[in-house]
Amino acid sequence: MTITLDSLEPALSVRQVLTLERVLAGEPEVVAGASHLDRPVRWVHVAEAADVGVMLTGGEMVLTTGVLLAGDEDKQAEYVRSLHRAEAAAVVLGLGRAFPAAPDVMRRAAERCGLPMVVLHRPFPFAELTEEVQSRLVRRKFAAVSLSEAVRTELTALITAGAPLQRLLDEVARHSACPVVVTNLAHRVLGTAGERPAVDDVLRDWERIARQAGGTEGDGWIRAELGGRGERWGRIVLCGYRGDTATGRLLADRAAEALVLHRMLAGGAACSWEEQSAQSLLTDLVSGVVPARQLLPRARAAGLPVNRRTFVPLVVRDGDPARLERLLRLLGLPGLVAELADGATAVLLSLPRDQDAGALAAHFATRLRTETGPDHTVVAAADPRAAWDDVPTGLREAQHVADAVADSSTVLDLPPVVRLKDVHLRGLIRLLRDDPHVQSFAERELDGLLRETDEDLLSVLRTYLATGRNKSRTAQLHHVSRPALYRRLESIQVRLGVDLDDFEQAASVHIALLAHDAQQQ
């Protein structure tokens, strides 16, 4: 059975103990330390000895009648001070023969120490209070141990099954019922989980919130460090956790153990958590499934500057994401890099508005092509975007341009940064490739070759048209003699029923072939 936080009793604070029905029967009154009633009660201890402090380990609520303290103000003050030194949670004094009213010396000492002091105005069997509190604490500890084992078991099973980081974080968020954020040491967000509106609220001003909450676990911010072998490399944060702090720490610790193990086992994986975070963000931007404005907090939390910036959407064909990351750092260009599908990598540059976005993009592309060779890398770009809401359209345009030249044989003739105006007819065909009319046109025009699936003749036709019907160049590229090429071209014309020397007919076949090739991508 899965144990969730809803099945756990909250930790008992001094304030909560005082609201228990059995305690209320004793008419409790807080006479000192009222601002410290949220201290957690670890145990209840009945003690009359004046040196009780040496018997405590911290967090105890001490019950006493004060019978051994009556008449000695020095002992009364020292009794309170010893409890404070032992970090007791509170002291409860039962009024009666020893003290008919709260002794001023003890009350003043408790107030100075910040130790909650409570008096019971009606006779009250201490055994009933200890039994009630101890049973609740034992139940809570058992539930906490069960929760700890349940979380550890479930996370370990996910890791064993090869689950991604996001799946682990979703499980932690389910148990904690609050947003969960994983960051590096610079507060850059590497992963999130939880209900999306709540996560967005946390990320909206993440850097300020994270630094403000960096040294405290108040307001439900529970953190656990990530690292190993004496080196920290990140942290997991439960944001706005509504349960008790001890259970929150337990959850955060179990989650941290699992994340460290997950990262250790995935040490040889191609993508780091940083890359996965960028990939998730850019994939959502390209798909358009999530409105760009909703992704803005994630972009900001991932370390991308977004205020008063110019965004340059790029898509690189056959580019190594790690190499692109290194090049951005080397050139001092802020941006995100993420691998998309089919050998494409998205790069989103974020530049100050007073910089020449076009020149910087060209410089980046030139350096990249210098390193990899001009015949191996295509850098496609959309025009710079001044508004974040326009970034998804820009990324899709850059991806379209990259796809349009993916099978081009003229990469060497392309500029360092290829834009929509550089792909001409091929780009239009790419845009229309899923249109049924275009598909029907391609099938009809090429039927004579496609029916027999003669790839050799298709390849010759493709080269012949791409070279502007240059027969010498076509023969050279296919390593055949001119007479052999003439025979193949004749066979193509017969099968298609066209005259390739006629410009309009050749153009029609060329468009059909471009459409056919685009549909195969």
Side-chain angles (χ1 to χ4, degrees):
M1 178 177 114
T2 299
I3 299 176
T4 65
L5 295 184
D6 292 334
S7 64
L8 288 178
E9 283 201 69
L12 290 177
S13 65
V14 175
R15 189 188 307 279
Q16 290 170 321
V17 170
L18 297 181
T19 62
L20 296 178
E21 187 175 346
R22 291 186 180 183
V23 179
L24 290 174
E27 297 182 6
E29 178 189 1
V30 179
V31 297
S35 61
H36 300 278
L37 295 181
D38 291 321
R39 286 181 175 178
V41 176
R42 189 181 60 82
W43 208 243
V44 178
H45 192 71
V46 180
E48 300 293 353
D51 59 350
V52 63
V54 299
M55 309 176 201
L56 306 180
T57 58
E60 295 90 350
M61 174 178 276
V62 177
L63 312 181
T64 183
T65 62
V67 66
L68 299 182
L69 303 175
D72 191 331
E73 292 187 347
D74 289 340
K75 281 187 177 181
Q76 294 169 22
E78 177 56 26
Y79 184 85
V80 171
R81 288 193 293 267
S82 69
L83 294 181
H84 170 63
R85 289 193 297 269
E87 299 183 348
V91 58
V92 178
L93 175 65
L95 300 182
R97 287 179 306 173
F99 292 105
D104 287 341
V105 172
M106 293 183 68
R107 183 181 56 77
R108 287 194 299 270
E111 192 64 48
R112 284 195 299 270
C113 294
L115 176 71
M117 179 175 176
V118 182
V119 296
L120 300 175
H121 288 280
R122 293 176 61 87
F124 183 86
F126 284 167
E128 292 186 10
L129 175 57
T130 57
E131 179 184 5
E132 174 76 11
V133 175
Q134 314 297 46
S135 64
R136 286 175 179 261
L137 290 173
V138 168
R139 286 200 302 272
R140 176 187 171 274
K141 287 187 177 182
F142 175 76
V145 170
S146 299
L147 173 67
S148 175
E149 288 308 307
V151 172
R152 178 184 278 123
T153 299
E154 290 174 12
L155 294 181
T156 301
L158 289 173
I159 294 171
T160 303
L165 170 65
Q166 187 61 53
R167 183 68 186 84
L168 269 65
L169 295 183
D170 289 341
E171 190 67 18
V172 175
R174 184 177 71 81
H175 279 288
S176 62
C178 70
V180 175
V181 177
V182 174
T183 76
N184 61 16
L185 296 182
H187 303 290
R188 177 174 174 177
V189 174
L190 308 180
T192 64
E195 295 185 3
R196 181 48 54 191
V199 172
D200 287 345
D201 285 343
V202 169
L203 296 184
R204 194 158 283 115
D205 195 13
W206 170 252
E207 187 171 352
R208 181 188 63 79
I209 293 174
R211 294 186 185 281
Q212 182 175 314
T216 176
E217 289 191 341
D219 299 325
W221 285 71
I222 311 292
R223 299 174 315 285
E225 301 298 327
L226 304 176
R229 299 178 180 176
E231 181 182 1
R232 292 187 303 121
W233 40 262
R235 58 178 60 90
I236 182 170
V237 188
L238 309 186
C239 307
Y241 176 70
R242 293 188 296 273
D244 66 285
T245 301
T247 304
R249 286 199 194 105
L250 179 149
L251 273 171
D253 287 344
R254 292 294 83 78
E257 289 174 5
L259 295 185
V260 170
L261 177 60
H262 181 274
R263 182 153 173 151
M264 234 168 50
L265 294 178
C271 291
S272 69
W273 287 0
E274 289 84 353
E275 290 167 343
Q276 291 179 42
S277 174
Q279 183 175 34
S280 172
L281 174 61
L282 291 184
T283 300
D284 285 346
L285 279 169
V286 170
S287 69
V289 173
V290 183
R293 189 146 298 279
Q294 292 184 22
L295 297 173
L296 188 58
R298 284 172 59 188
R300 184 182 289 113
L304 185 73
V306 295
N307 294 329
R308 299 186 60 77
R309 309 291 285 191
T310 297
F311 302 101
V312 183
L314 305 173
V315 171
V316 181
R317 299 292 311 189
D318 301 321
D320 174 31
R323 181 194 294 273
L324 297 176
E325 284 271 17
R326 287 194 298 271
L327 184 56
L328 286 183
R329 288 195 295 269
L330 179 65
L331 299 178
L333 297 175
L336 295 178
V337 176
E339 188 172 5
L340 303 177
D342 302 324
T345 301
V347 179
L348 180 60
L349 301 181
S350 174
L351 307 173
R353 290 187 176 176
D354 59 353
Q355 293 186 351
D356 187 336
L360 288 174
H363 181 52
F364 168 78
T366 301
R367 285 292 299 270
L368 180 62
R369 295 184 75 179
T370 299
E371 291 184 11
T372 60
D375 56 341
H376 288 93
T377 303
V378 172
V379 179
D383 290 335
R385 263 53 179 179
W388 174 258
D389 287 347
D390 295 333
V391 168
T393 304
L395 283 168
R396 287 193 290 272
E397 180 182 313
Q399 189 174 33
H400 160 66
V401 173
D403 288 343
V405 296
D407 59 345
S408 173
S409 60
T410 58
V411 174
L412 286 169
D413 300 326
L414 293 172
V417 178
V418 186
R419 302 186 185 276
L420 196 57
K421 64 181 179 61
D422 299 314
V423 294
H424 306 295
L425 178 61
R426 189 182 299 273
L428 176 64
I429 296 299
R430 278 278 177 168
L431 282 176
L432 300 176
R433 65 178 176 174
D434 294 325
D435 187 295
H437 294 91
V438 174
Q439 294 172 354
S440 176
F441 169 76
E443 290 288 327
R444 184 172 62 252
E445 289 290 301
L446 300 175
D447 181 62
L449 289 180
L450 297 179
R451 200 167 42 219
E452 299 180 21
T453 60
D454 194 327
E455 290 298 328
D456 180 58
L457 290 182
L458 270 177
S459 177
V460 169
L461 176 62
R462 187 179 293 112
T463 304
Y464 179 62
L465 295 173
T467 59
R469 295 182 294 172
N470 185 319
K471 294 176 182 176
S472 296
R473 180 64 174 153
T474 302
Q476 181 184 12
L477 289 172
H478 283 269
H479 307 290
V480 297
S481 65
R482 286 179 64 106
L485 175 66
Y486 294 156
R487 288 193 296 272
R488 294 184 189 186
L489 290 177
E490 180 63 29
S491 178
I492 290 170
Q493 293 181 104
V494 169
R495 295 190 186 194
L496 297 183
V498 298
D499 178 5
L500 293 178
D501 289 330
D502 181 89
F503 176 79
E504 185 174 335
Q505 293 183 54
S508 181
V509 172
H510 193 187
I511 292 171
L513 187 56
L514 289 175
H516 168 74
D517 290 344
Q519 291 158 18
Q520 308 309 308
Q521 297 299 317

mmCIF file of all heavy atoms in Angstrom, residues 204-227:
data_model
loop_
_atom_site.group_PDB
_atom_site.id
_atom_site.type_symbol
_atom_site.label_atom_id
_atom_site.label_comp_id
_atom_site.label_asym_id
_atom_site.label_seq_id
_atom_site.Cartn_x
_atom_site.Cartn_y
_atom_site.Cartn_z
ATOM 1 N N ARG A 204 8.374 32.222 -11.003
ATOM 2 C CA ARG A 204 8.199 33.572 -11.558
ATOM 3 C C ARG A 204 9.288 34.535 -11.079
ATOM 4 O O ARG A 204 9.751 35.391 -11.826
ATOM 5 C CB ARG A 204 6.805 34.086 -11.194
ATOM 6 C CG ARG A 204 6.389 35.310 -11.995
ATOM 7 C CD ARG A 204 4.887 35.468 -12.013
ATOM 8 N NE ARG A 204 4.248 34.527 -12.934
ATOM 9 C CZ ARG A 204 3.415 33.551 -12.554
ATOM 10 N NH1 ARG A 204 3.119 33.397 -11.272
ATOM 11 N NH2 ARG A 204 2.894 32.739 -13.435
ATOM 12 N N ASP A 205 9.668 34.413 -9.836
ATOM 13 C CA ASP A 205 10.738 35.275 -9.311
ATOM 14 C C ASP A 205 11.744 34.386 -8.592
ATOM 15 O O ASP A 205 12.117 34.627 -7.448
ATOM 16 C CB ASP A 205 10.135 36.323 -8.364
ATOM 17 C CG ASP A 205 11.102 37.462 -8.080
ATOM 18 O OD1 ASP A 205 12.109 37.566 -8.798
ATOM 19 O OD2 ASP A 205 10.851 38.233 -7.140
ATOM 20 N N TRP A 206 12.180 33.341 -9.310
ATOM 21 C CA TRP A 206 12.920 32.258 -8.676
ATOM 22 C C TRP A 206 14.224 32.711 -8.019
ATOM 23 O O TRP A 206 14.521 32.341 -6.896
ATOM 24 C CB TRP A 206 13.226 31.154 -9.684
ATOM 25 C CG TRP A 206 14.183 30.149 -9.141
ATOM 26 C CD1 TRP A 206 15.479 29.969 -9.478
ATOM 27 C CD2 TRP A 206 13.911 29.200 -8.102
ATOM 28 N NE1 TRP A 206 16.042 28.982 -8.737
ATOM 29 C CE2 TRP A 206 15.097 28.489 -7.883
ATOM 30 C CE3 TRP A 206 12.787 28.892 -7.347
ATOM 31 C CZ2 TRP A 206 15.194 27.477 -6.932
ATOM 32 C CZ3 TRP A 206 12.878 27.882 -6.392
ATOM 33 C CH2 TRP A 206 14.060 27.189 -6.197
ATOM 34 N N GLU A 207 15.022 33.491 -8.717
ATOM 35 C CA GLU A 207 16.346 33.833 -8.182
ATOM 36 C C GLU A 207 16.234 34.550 -6.842
ATOM 37 O O GLU A 207 16.936 34.220 -5.886
ATOM 38 C CB GLU A 207 17.122 34.687 -9.175
ATOM 39 C CG GLU A 207 18.563 34.933 -8.731
ATOM 40 C CD GLU A 207 19.396 35.595 -9.808
ATOM 41 O OE1 GLU A 207 18.914 35.724 -10.951
ATOM 42 O OE2 GLU A 207 20.526 35.975 -9.496
ATOM 43 N N ARG A 208 15.325 35.515 -6.759
ATOM 44 C CA ARG A 208 15.165 36.237 -5.489
ATOM 45 C C ARG A 208 14.635 35.303 -4.399
ATOM 46 O O ARG A 208 15.142 35.282 -3.278
ATOM 47 C CB ARG A 208 14.195 37.408 -5.669
ATOM 48 C CG ARG A 208 13.992 38.232 -4.398
ATOM 49 C CD ARG A 208 12.884 39.245 -4.576
ATOM 50 N NE ARG A 208 11.595 38.617 -4.811
ATOM 51 C CZ ARG A 208 10.841 38.091 -3.824
ATOM 52 N NH1 ARG A 208 11.261 38.113 -2.574
ATOM 53 N NH2 ARG A 208 9.681 37.542 -4.107
ATOM 54 N N ILE A 209 13.637 34.501 -4.739
ATOM 55 C CA ILE A 209 13.054 33.599 -3.751
ATOM 56 C C ILE A 209 14.082 32.592 -3.269
ATOM 57 O O ILE A 209 14.206 32.317 -2.074
ATOM 58 C CB ILE A 209 11.836 32.871 -4.358
ATOM 59 C CG1 ILE A 209 10.713 33.874 -4.631
ATOM 60 C CG2 ILE A 209 11.333 31.786 -3.427
ATOM 61 C CD1 ILE A 209 9.535 33.272 -5.360
ATOM 62 N N ALA A 210 14.834 32.023 -4.216
ATOM 63 C CA ALA A 210 15.803 30.988 -3.858
ATOM 64 C C ALA A 210 16.883 31.532 -2.939
ATOM 65 O O ALA A 210 17.273 30.900 -1.953
ATOM 66 C CB ALA A 210 16.433 30.401 -5.119
ATOM 67 N N ARG A 211 17.392 32.718 -3.241
ATOM 68 C CA ARG A 211 18.443 33.287 -2.398
ATOM 69 C C ARG A 211 17.890 33.714 -1.043
ATOM 70 O O ARG A 211 18.559 33.589 -0.022
ATOM 71 C CB ARG A 211 19.097 34.474 -3.115
ATOM 72 C CG ARG A 211 19.852 34.060 -4.366
ATOM 73 C CD ARG A 211 20.621 35.194 -4.987
ATOM 74 N NE ARG A 211 21.230 34.787 -6.241
ATOM 75 C CZ ARG A 211 22.353 34.062 -6.334
ATOM 76 N NH1 ARG A 211 22.974 33.687 -5.226
ATOM 77 N NH2 ARG A 211 22.844 33.735 -7.509
ATOM 78 N N GLN A 212 16.652 34.194 -1.037
ATOM 79 C CA GLN A 212 16.036 34.614 0.222
ATOM 80 C C GLN A 212 15.804 33.420 1.136
ATOM 81 O O GLN A 212 15.950 33.496 2.341
ATOM 82 C CB GLN A 212 14.699 35.297 -0.074
ATOM 83 C CG GLN A 212 13.984 35.832 1.160
ATOM 84 C CD GLN A 212 12.725 36.590 0.772
ATOM 85 O OE1 GLN A 212 12.746 37.417 -0.140
ATOM 86 N NE2 GLN A 212 11.639 36.291 1.428
ATOM 87 N N ALA A 213 15.441 32.287 0.529
ATOM 88 C CA ALA A 213 15.163 31.088 1.315
ATOM 89 C C ALA A 213 16.401 30.220 1.498
ATOM 90 O O ALA A 213 16.331 29.153 2.083
ATOM 91 C CB ALA A 213 14.079 30.258 0.623
ATOM 92 N N GLY A 214 17.537 30.696 1.004
ATOM 93 C CA GLY A 214 18.737 29.868 1.006
ATOM 94 C C GLY A 214 19.224 29.465 2.378
ATOM 95 O O GLY A 214 19.812 28.413 2.552
ATOM 96 N N GLY A 215 18.984 30.279 3.399
ATOM 97 C CA GLY A 215 19.533 29.933 4.708
ATOM 98 C C GLY A 215 18.503 29.567 5.733
ATOM 99 O O GLY A 215 18.815 29.450 6.905
ATOM 100 N N THR A 216 17.245 29.357 5.330
ATOM 101 C CA THR A 216 16.203 29.071 6.298
ATOM 102 C C THR A 216 15.242 28.043 5.747
ATOM 103 O O THR A 216 15.085 27.900 4.537
ATOM 104 C CB THR A 216 15.421 30.343 6.673
ATOM 105 O OG1 THR A 216 14.366 29.984 7.558
ATOM 106 C CG2 THR A 216 14.827 31.014 5.444
ATOM 107 N N GLU A 217 14.583 27.312 6.641
ATOM 108 C CA GLU A 217 13.559 26.369 6.225
ATOM 109 C C GLU A 217 12.202 26.854 6.685
ATOM 110 O O GLU A 217 11.284 26.069 6.899
ATOM 111 C CB GLU A 217 13.867 24.976 6.757
ATOM 112 C CG GLU A 217 15.066 24.330 6.069
ATOM 113 C CD GLU A 217 15.226 22.864 6.386
ATOM 114 O OE1 GLU A 217 14.651 22.419 7.394
ATOM 115 O OE2 GLU A 217 15.925 22.168 5.644
ATOM 116 N N GLY A 218 12.052 28.145 6.834
ATOM 117 C CA GLY A 218 10.767 28.702 7.200
ATOM 118 C C GLY A 218 9.807 28.687 6.028
ATOM 119 O O GLY A 218 10.201 28.529 4.877
ATOM 120 N N ASP A 219 8.538 28.847 6.340
ATOM 121 C CA ASP A 219 7.479 28.916 5.323
ATOM 122 C C ASP A 219 7.456 27.688 4.432
ATOM 123 O O ASP A 219 7.073 27.756 3.263
ATOM 124 C CB ASP A 219 7.640 30.174 4.451
ATOM 125 C CG ASP A 219 7.532 31.450 5.275
ATOM 126 O OD1 ASP A 219 6.742 31.456 6.245
ATOM 127 O OD2 ASP A 219 8.243 32.422 4.976
ATOM 128 N N GLY A 220 7.858 26.546 4.962
ATOM 129 C CA GLY A 220 7.748 25.303 4.211
ATOM 130 C C GLY A 220 8.806 25.070 3.162
ATOM 131 O O GLY A 220 8.647 24.203 2.305
ATOM 132 N N TRP A 221 9.917 25.816 3.169
ATOM 133 C CA TRP A 221 11.000 25.600 2.217
ATOM 134 C C TRP A 221 11.979 24.593 2.830
ATOM 135 O O TRP A 221 12.717 24.910 3.749
ATOM 136 C CB TRP A 221 11.707 26.911 1.886
ATOM 137 C CG TRP A 221 10.882 27.768 0.979
ATOM 138 C CD1 TRP A 221 9.752 28.434 1.292
ATOM 139 C CD2 TRP A 221 11.115 28.004 -0.402
ATOM 140 N NE1 TRP A 221 9.257 29.078 0.200
ATOM 141 C CE2 TRP A 221 10.074 28.839 -0.871
ATOM 142 C CE3 TRP A 221 12.101 27.605 -1.300
ATOM 143 C CZ2 TRP A 221 9.998 29.271 -2.181
ATOM 144 C CZ3 TRP A 221 12.025 28.045 -2.619
ATOM 145 C CH2 TRP A 221 10.984 28.865 -3.042
ATOM 146 N N ILE A 222 11.946 23.375 2.298
ATOM 147 C CA ILE A 222 12.796 22.295 2.817
ATOM 148 C C ILE A 222 13.812 21.943 1.745
ATOM 149 O O ILE A 222 13.455 21.673 0.599
ATOM 150 C CB ILE A 222 11.961 21.041 3.155
ATOM 151 C CG1 ILE A 222 10.738 21.404 3.998
ATOM 152 C CG2 ILE A 222 12.833 20.011 3.851
ATOM 153 C CD1 ILE A 222 11.039 21.877 5.375
ATOM 154 N N ARG A 223 15.093 21.922 2.107
ATOM 155 C CA ARG A 223 16.156 21.663 1.140
ATOM 156 C C ARG A 223 16.986 20.455 1.559
ATOM 157 O O ARG A 223 17.112 20.164 2.741
ATOM 158 C CB ARG A 223 17.101 22.864 1.024
ATOM 159 C CG ARG A 223 16.456 24.139 0.553
ATOM 160 C CD ARG A 223 17.440 25.301 0.617
ATOM 161 N NE ARG A 223 18.181 25.323 1.865
ATOM 162 C CZ ARG A 223 17.674 25.707 3.030
ATOM 163 N NH1 ARG A 223 16.423 26.088 3.122
ATOM 164 N NH2 ARG A 223 18.408 25.712 4.126
ATOM 165 N N ALA A 224 17.530 19.792 0.566
ATOM 166 C CA ALA A 224 18.525 18.747 0.803
ATOM 167 C C ALA A 224 19.608 18.897 -0.254
ATOM 168 O O ALA A 224 19.307 19.147 -1.428
ATOM 169 C CB ALA A 224 17.892 17.361 0.726
ATOM 170 N N GLU A 225 20.852 18.761 0.165
ATOM 171 C CA GLU A 225 21.975 18.944 -0.751
ATOM 172 C C GLU A 225 22.184 17.700 -1.602
ATOM 173 O O GLU A 225 21.954 16.567 -1.169
ATOM 174 C CB GLU A 225 23.251 19.245 0.036
ATOM 175 C CG GLU A 225 23.170 20.481 0.915
ATOM 176 C CD GLU A 225 22.932 21.752 0.118
ATOM 177 O OE1 GLU A 225 23.426 21.835 -1.026
ATOM 178 O OE2 GLU A 225 22.236 22.647 0.634
ATOM 179 N N LEU A 226 22.652 17.918 -2.832
ATOM 180 C CA LEU A 226 22.971 16.835 -3.760
ATOM 181 C C LEU A 226 24.475 16.822 -3.976
ATOM 182 O O LEU A 226 25.076 17.862 -4.235
ATOM 183 C CB LEU A 226 22.257 17.042 -5.093
ATOM 184 C CG LEU A 226 20.729 17.194 -5.041
ATOM 185 C CD1 LEU A 226 20.191 17.492 -6.439
ATOM 186 C CD2 LEU A 226 20.080 15.947 -4.482
ATOM 187 N N GLY A 227 25.054 15.656 -3.884
ATOM 188 C CA GLY A 227 26.491 15.557 -4.081
ATOM 189 C C GLY A 227 27.012 14.238 -3.553
ATOM 190 O O GLY A 227 26.262 13.369 -3.103
#
